[in-house]
Amino acid sequence: MFHLEFKITGDNSHTLLVKELNETYHSTKGAINEALHVFMQRGLNDYIVKTNCKKLKVFEVGFGTGLNAHLAHLFAKQHQLKIDYISIEAHPLDLSIIQQLNYSELIPSEQSLFLKLHEVEWNKVVEIDEYFTLTKLHQELKDVVLENSIDVIFFDAFAPNIQPELWTKEVFESMFKALKPEGVLVTYCAKGVVKRTIKEVGFNLETLAGPPGKREMIRAVKVISE
Ligand SMILES: C[S@@+](CC[C@H](N)C(=O)[O-])C[C@H]1O[C@@H](n2cnc3c(N)ncnc32)[C@H](O)[C@@H]1O
């Protein structure tokens, strides 16, 4: 198991530093701001505005601290949506670490809602409430097979220089396959090599303004031409 250290990021929210990798779970410029901008705004919000859909399936790569899942749950409530949220995680964090994260002090919601996402069983579809079901898959991304069923992918793996095996053409081909037509993948990373790989796979690449402190982010759209 890795050694983890708590770090305060630019918006005062916590992230975790993996000491052995010298890599953090979120942007050091602001963990909550990054999650809100990349995944909620450019991912979920733009998608529901464009498609007008009220029921959607989200797939997340890397459940980690559960920050994205928690914000997506609150987003679903706020917008009266039904989200089926599937998140994959190879190395779940201990609850003792989760309990020390300061997200509930900064995000207006009850801490019990955040903790509930961590307390539910792995590898089971769990109804959190009328707006949100959560399926946490304790497995490796390479073992997931999804087809034509996902509306939005939150691609939140560690950076390509840390985990190059999660940013390959094969991985993005399987993400392309997982999405419905017009489905989108959003990621905080906008490295040239990632853009090229995403284009090669057949996605429509959109380079968008990044969260505070980051110039760019990527949205990849599964456009199916006639
Ligand atoms: C950048 S962190 C982000 C986590 C999370 N989205 C959050 O907000 O805390 C990347 C996550 O991917 C997980 N991970 C690493 N390799 C993986 C793999 N092969 N399959 C699934 N998850 C993996 C890590 O354990 C870590 O929790």
Side-chain angles (χ1 to χ4, degrees):
M1 191 59 203
F2 287 127
H3 293 94
L4 300 168
E5 203 175 82
F6 290 89
K7 287 262 168 217
I8 293 287
T9 66
D11 60 8
N12 292 323
S13 59
H14 273 139
T15 192
L16 297 170
L17 169 72
V18 184
K19 300 262 281 191
E20 290 81 352
L21 305 175
N22 193 27
E23 172 77 350
T24 51
Y25 273 56
H26 310 93
S27 164
T28 55
K29 312 276 186 206
I32 291 179
N33 280 347
E34 176 185 55
L36 286 173
H37 177 86
V38 176
F39 302 108
M40 304 310 131
Q41 287 304 313
R42 298 289 78 83
L44 288 183
N45 194 63
D46 288 355
Y47 186 78
I48 61 161
V49 168
K50 187 175 168 193
T51 60
N52 213 11
C53 79
K54 297 270 174 226
K55 192 173 181 312
L56 58 162
K57 253 192 184 163
V58 174
F59 176 65
E60 177 183 33
V61 177
F63 183 71
T65 63
L67 175 60
N68 292 334
H70 182 49
L71 291 171
H73 179 204
L74 300 178
F75 184 93
K77 278 186 166 196
Q78 187 194 348
H79 294 268
Q80 305 274 298
L81 307 170
K82 175 76 201 287
I83 295 184
D84 289 326
Y85 196 95
I86 304 162
S87 188
I88 186 161
E89 176 56 63
H91 312 286
L93 290 165
D94 285 348
L95 198 57
S96 59
I97 291 174
I98 299 300
Q99 284 163 339
Q100 295 177 60
L101 293 166
N102 68 359
Y103 300 145
S104 301
E105 292 162 30
L106 301 168
I107 300 166
S109 69
E110 289 160 41
Q111 197 191 17
S112 59
L113 275 187
F114 176 60
L115 293 180
K116 190 173 176 187
L117 304 183
H118 289 277
E119 287 159 357
V120 299
E121 259 187 77
W122 288 86
N123 307 314
K124 231 178 135 176
V125 183
V126 181
E127 185 165 284
I128 302 294
D129 58 25
E130 62 190 291
Y131 304 104
F132 203 74
T133 69
L134 177 62
T135 311
K136 295 188 294 184
L137 302 175
H138 183 187
Q139 63 186 88
E140 296 265 346
L141 178 60
K142 66 177 168 51
D143 299 328
V144 165
V145 183
L146 294 163
E147 222 166 300
N148 265 318
S149 56
I150 306 295
D151 294 276
V152 180
I153 295 176
F154 294 172
F155 201 86
D156 200 12
F158 287 128
N161 57 320
I162 303 292
Q163 275 199 302
E165 72 278 11
L166 295 187
W167 300 84
T168 61
K169 192 168 174 212
E170 290 68 34
V171 167
F172 284 109
E173 275 168 351
S174 83
M175 296 297 97
F176 188 90
K177 205 164 165 197
L179 287 169
K180 290 179 184 168
E182 301 303 325
V184 302
L185 174 152
V186 277
T187 183
Y188 66 89
C189 178
K191 291 227 159 78
V193 59
V194 175
K195 289 182 185 168
R196 285 192 291 282
T197 309
I198 278 177
K199 273 200 209 159
E200 252 177 72
V201 166
F203 279 107
N204 208 348
L205 175 80
E206 296 176 2
T207 304
L208 309 173
K214 284 197 169 181
R215 203 160 58 87
E216 294 181 337
M217 61 162 281
I218 287 175
R219 181 165 58 207
V221 187
K222 180 177 179 174
V223 177
I224 304 287
S225 42
E226 299 289 301

